[in-house]
Amino acid sequence: MEPRTIAAIEIASSKIKGAVGAIGPDGRLSVLAVEEIPDTNNVRYGRIQNIREVSGAVNEIVQRLEASAAVAPRKITAMSLSLGGRSLSAAPARASLKFPHEVEITETQVQRLMYEATRDFMGDKNIEATVPRMFYVNNAAVRKAVGTFGETLRGEFMMLTCGKETRQNLDRLKFDTVDHENIVYELRPTAIGDLVLTPDERELGCALVDFGAETTTVSVYKDGTLAFLSTIPMGSRLITLDLMAGLGITEEAAENYKLTLGTLADNVNSEENPNAEEVNGYVRARAGEIAANILNQIELSGYDSESLSKIILVGGGAKLPEFAAQLGAQCKMPVRVASMPDDIAFRVAGRNNADNIDVVALLAAGAKRPQWNCLSEQKSATTVTADDEDLEEADEDEPEERIDVRHESVKQPKNAKQTPERRPLPDEDDDNLLEDDDDEEEYDDEKIDGKAQGRGFFGFGRRHREKEDEENELDVFEPEEEEEDTAPRRRKDSEDYDDPENDPDHFKQTKRVIGSIRDKFIGIFKSDDFDDDDDN
């Protein structure tokens, strides 16, 4: 049995990335191929701006993935698309149910509770997911309500919402080989949280910061579930734009300066590069502003450094030197830069790094969907060749075989017994083809269940068939005709009853019975001197 395969596309502000993975029998994820295309002008703040350009880039990614050695000759038939951007946020929701008596809480009742929590949502965004936080059964807090008993059920949820235009632009993408009905959307922040966060970090409380190119998403986890999510329109590209404007350089050079010379440390070696001090000034100013906004979002969540254990940093902005230390100093919490989990296997060299956490998280999220398979079935070249050869041989031999059977049947003698599969065919040039056969013994009728069957060809065995139909018709209707026609006809003439030669036995018996009954009635209604013998 082939392992299940997953395909995913990550559409970000700085690049478009795709990957294909396989789920082994042990449930371990193996990344088969990863491809990416830089793109900085067609996607802004996580929202697609140019549908045509992004569609072309996505189709190119798909073609590269299908051409990779680990995927070919299979084709991508389904995929997961990331959903994020500046419009992604979370809003709390609550709902309660009351039952007439104590009942067992089932999954159906929990789904009804979630529906009640979201149906009154009044906003201009789409609800993409509803994450349960805590349930209360008879006012007792439980994390899993299914299986408990109570008269009241109350729940607290987090509704993850996204802008309608962001979702619509994703729906407008045109794929060459993948149908839209085979595309599912995965929320990028929750998928990354499921991949890089440990159970202890979720339980004790942590803040997951996805520091991207143009947006930064802050997700707060507490008591094992998502408690807060917000996106701010600030990213590491702001530092690049500051360097471009301040130094008068291109975006590519500014990006290189940011990653090599930019640092938040105090000791800057300006002797090797005279621009180091100036670059560091721009980096420090903008990075400090971004860290302050991250701290503000954590405070808005209702948690602080005392209720949260640490900050986990992911995204392209996490590669900025000393940014993790600067963020930890401002938030007064330890910061851990996320790395690729050890249980993820890579079959492509140079891809097992933190840069691919985003797309690998989408693969891991898609792997949780039951029966989700994104690649076509794989067939070996030997099997395909053998099948093709068999089909070709069958197509070439079938007409020739039919011709041989027809000629062989014509050459058989007339008195030879024929099977139902092979019948003697008449010559097409025979002038007597449409005439009845004079010799009834020339063709033997086939016997099925002891009855003669007519020939399948028009004109053959016509007399046999007509004779058989007449016999069958007489066998069916003869008893009824004798009873209906002969008996009434003989009753019309009472004189025939005295003739023993023309009177059948059953009519004689009937005559005697009728005469006996008549004599009894005459004896009742007539006097004693009446002569009983008045048959004449």
Side-chain angles (χ1 to χ4, degrees), residues 40 237 240-241 243-244 249-260:
T40 58
R237 193 167 183 235
T240 305
L241 296 176
L243 294 175
M244 292 172 58
I249 56 179
T250 62
E251 183 173 359
E252 183 178 358
E255 187 71 21
N256 184 39
Y257 279 2
K258 180 181 68 176
L259 298 178
T260 57

Side-chain angles (χ1 to χ4, degrees), residues 193-194 197-206 221-225:
D194 293 340
L197 297 182
T198 64
D200 292 341
E201 291 172 344
R202 291 168 169 268
E203 186 68 26
L204 298 176
C206 66
Y221 289 82
K222 185 67 175 180
D223 298 329
T225 61

Side-chain angles (χ1 to χ4, degrees), residues 164-220:
K164 294 182 180 179
E165 185 177 352
T166 301
R167 179 63 181 269
Q168 289 175 356
N169 289 347
L170 286 174
D171 295 336
R172 291 168 180 166
L173 292 178
K174 298 180 180 180
F175 301 91
D176 294 339
T177 58
V178 182
D179 295 334
H180 274 279
E181 57 191 22
N182 295 330
I183 296 177
V184 297
Y185 295 100
E186 299 289 352
L187 294 174
R188 173 190 168 103
T190 56
I192 294 177
D194 293 340
L195 181 67
V196 301
L197 297 182
T198 64
D200 292 341
E201 291 172 344
R202 291 168 169 268
E203 186 68 26
L204 298 176
C206 66
L208 176 64
V209 178
D210 185 5
F211 187 17
E214 292 185 339
T215 59
T216 300
T217 303
V218 179
S219 306
V220 177

